[in-house]
Amino acid sequence: MRTLCEDIKESDIGKEFTFKGWVMHYRDHGGLIFIDLRDYSGILQIVFDENIEGESFKSAKKLKNEYVVSVAGTVRKRPDGTENTGLKTGNIELLVKSVEILNICEVLPFQIDEETEVNEFTRLKYRYLDLRSKRLKDNLIFRSKFTHLIREFLNGKGFFDIETPFLTKSTPEGSRDFLVPSRLNKGRFFALPQSPQLFKQILMVSGFERYYQIVRCFRDEDLRADRQPEFTQLDMEMSFVETNDVISITEELFALIFQKLLGITVFRPFKILDYDEAMDKYGSDKPDTRFELIIHNLTDIFANSSLNVFKDNIQKGGVIKAICLPDGVNLLSRKDIDELLNTVKEFGAKGLAWTKIGENNLLEGGISKFISDEERNNLIAKTGAKNGDIILYQSDSKKIAENVLGRLRLHLAKKYNLIPEGRFDFLWVVNFPLFEYSEEEKKIVAVHHPFTSPSVKDLNELETDPLSVKSDSYDLVLNGEEIGGGSIRIHNPGLQEKIFKILSIPDEEAKIKFGFLSDALGFGAPPHGGIAFGIDRILMILRNEDSIRDVIAFPKTQKAYCPLTDAPSSVNETQIKELGIKLRETTVI
Ligand code: ASP
């Protein structure tokens, strides 16, 4: 019926074809009218000449942007000097013999593919128009190839693609649930799954051994650029595996994706960092390792500091940590240093001490006069600082100092372009603590989720010193973004119960919430483990986008609202009654 714009080549010159698509960039040059015709494959220049017999030129006069047309004619070479090297079809054009207008288009709320500032609400309201733009269309076509490749790879490795329910029960991934009231069981609610965690473990108990699913997950949390209330995971689970098996299949998958879709050979095995080391050196459990700026622990060096803030802090059990900014003297003016103080305060710091390294390794400015020769020599040896560098210090609790310097590290890297372009750095972070103390909830909570296995070597400390226990868990980090995470699971019901106790989940509550999993574990659960990857976030990085909304066909706004469909919307009183519920509050959008 038709040929695609980018399917024709110079060897087709002189042949006749029919193309169908949308009118872009209408240009009237008197006796000649040009349009760019766009279909999903790309763009082809179309020429209407008033000297060509028939009605085509007259019809062309009626065309407007985004009209849908069918054009038939002869492919010809563009006249010398009018080629467009930016287009795949830039050396050829179609001289039209006949044109049919298949549909007209209303006045556009914004021009497609033009770099005009249009607010996101309008773009999302007319998402179908925005999706006509090359950038978004290419993103979604890339996404389709990406998921196809994943499926092909995992099917080839003996994985089964098994669907799990959306109308289900709360899954504890640490977020708020979306609830769905049940009409048939009034007063009861389904929760949309935060992940298929419990079901995939149950599938292992059922003996499937290798499961995967590209699945939607729902988490009702405050949104940021890299979060949506519904997002897609590649979810995997395997029986009879250890951490290394999960790591190895993941690396094989990502190496394939990078090779096939980006033409990039990734270096394997990926780097592995212990959680403790990640926090110590990068102040983050998802370090961006594309650049150095490592955090140094200087606590020992300053144990007897003449600076009271340092000394008192160390005596209270705090730490002195610092980063050394190479060539900082040229990068940071006095004013910049003052501004950095405000920046670190936003990160939760109390202050920001600094020193410059001058000639002969002498320290200048900031706190330099409080640093003895011995401290200085140790400092230079430890940080490797050179003439012209600036050292930026934090004296605080370990948690605050690492968090502040971790964020300062990223801030400086972005500000001073220290991140190499086009580089992809994969990193595994392993050996996370099993638990942490939540100040908010005033109790011990799971760092991953309550089904994560403790490290066997720490089992004896489980009851005596739970916060020291590590877990058999792993996160995959790409360029400083956590793109996946998982763990070896508990397969022993007794151990699972013990964990619920440590998490202060009363027996009754554990039974109601996860009783079905505990029951299942009791019926011959194999050792198992798995992982899940955030597909949207990965695509955002691979496509070099700033927001996951740009790799999702129909995303929601920051307020979890869909301007296209006006969802969520109000429903009528009868529907509410049928569900056996009453409204207490309503929001006006
Ligand atoms: N269910 C976990 C998550 O969504 C991943 C996993 O442990 O496999 O983060």
Side-chain angles (χ1 to χ4, degrees), residues 173 195 197 200 219 233 449 485-486 489 530-532:
E173 299 288 358
S195 83
Q197 184 62 37
K200 66 174 172 175
R219 298 185 189 177
Q233 278 189 347
H449 49 57
R489 325 295 183 187
I531 191 161

Side-chain angles (χ1 to χ4, degrees), residues 299-347:
T299 318
D300 288 348
I301 297 177
F302 288 111
N304 298 314
S305 175
S306 61
L307 203 62
N308 284 340
V309 233
F310 276 20
K311 207 161 92 194
D312 294 348
N313 175 48
I314 296 173
Q315 271 165 8
K316 273 194 311 200
V319 299
I320 312 294
K321 299 194 100 175
I323 47 183
C324 169
L325 181 63
D327 200 29
V329 172
N330 287 321
L331 295 175
L332 297 177
S333 65
R334 222 10 257 270
K335 199 169 138 250
D336 291 330
I337 296 181
D338 290 343
E339 273 170 19
L340 273 190
L341 173 64
N342 292 330
T343 309
V344 293
K345 279 193 173 158
E346 278 167 32
F347 299 158

Side-chain angles (χ1 to χ4, degrees), residues 80-137:
D80 283 348
T82 64
E83 297 90 350
N84 179 350
T85 49
L87 276 188
K88 202 170 155 214
T89 57
N91 290 334
I92 49 182
E93 59 191 12
L94 183 84
L95 181 63
V96 176
K97 286 205 179 121
S98 68
V99 55
E100 187 188 346
I101 298 179
L102 302 175
N103 212 344
I104 61 164
C105 175
E106 303 288 339
V107 177
L108 294 164
F110 52 85
Q111 292 304 319
I112 286 144
D113 255 335
E114 279 183 15
E115 290 303 312
T116 42
E117 273 298 309
V118 181
N119 74 44
E120 181 149 56
F121 190 91
T122 311
R123 285 194 185 281
L124 290 179
K125 183 168 165 63
Y126 300 96
R127 187 65 170 171
Y128 41 87
L129 293 180
D130 215 14
L131 289 178
R132 286 184 191 170
S133 72
K134 179 162 169 47
R135 191 183 114 230
L136 293 186
K137 185 164 286 139

Side-chain angles (χ1 to χ4, degrees), residues 196-214:
Q197 184 62 37
L198 299 168
F199 288 107
K200 66 174 172 175
Q201 290 192 236
I202 287 175
L203 285 169
M204 295 304 107
V205 180
S206 306
F208 284 96
E209 296 200 24
R210 292 188 155 211
Y211 143 94
Y212 85 96
Q213 192 182 182
I214 293 180

Side-chain angles (χ1 to χ4, degrees), residues 171-173 194-198 200-201 217 219 231 233-237 448-449 451-452 474-475 482 484-489 529-533:
T171 32
E173 299 288 358
Q194 292 185 33
S195 83
Q197 184 62 37
L198 299 168
K200 66 174 172 175
Q201 290 192 236
C217 300
R219 298 185 189 177
F231 61 95
Q233 278 189 347
L234 162 61
D235 195 40
M236 294 164 63
E237 197 74 11
H448 270 84
H449 49 57
F451 317 109
T452 301
Y474 28 79
D475 272 5
E482 183 204 325
S487 57
I488 300 300
R489 325 295 183 187
I531 191 161
F533 303 96

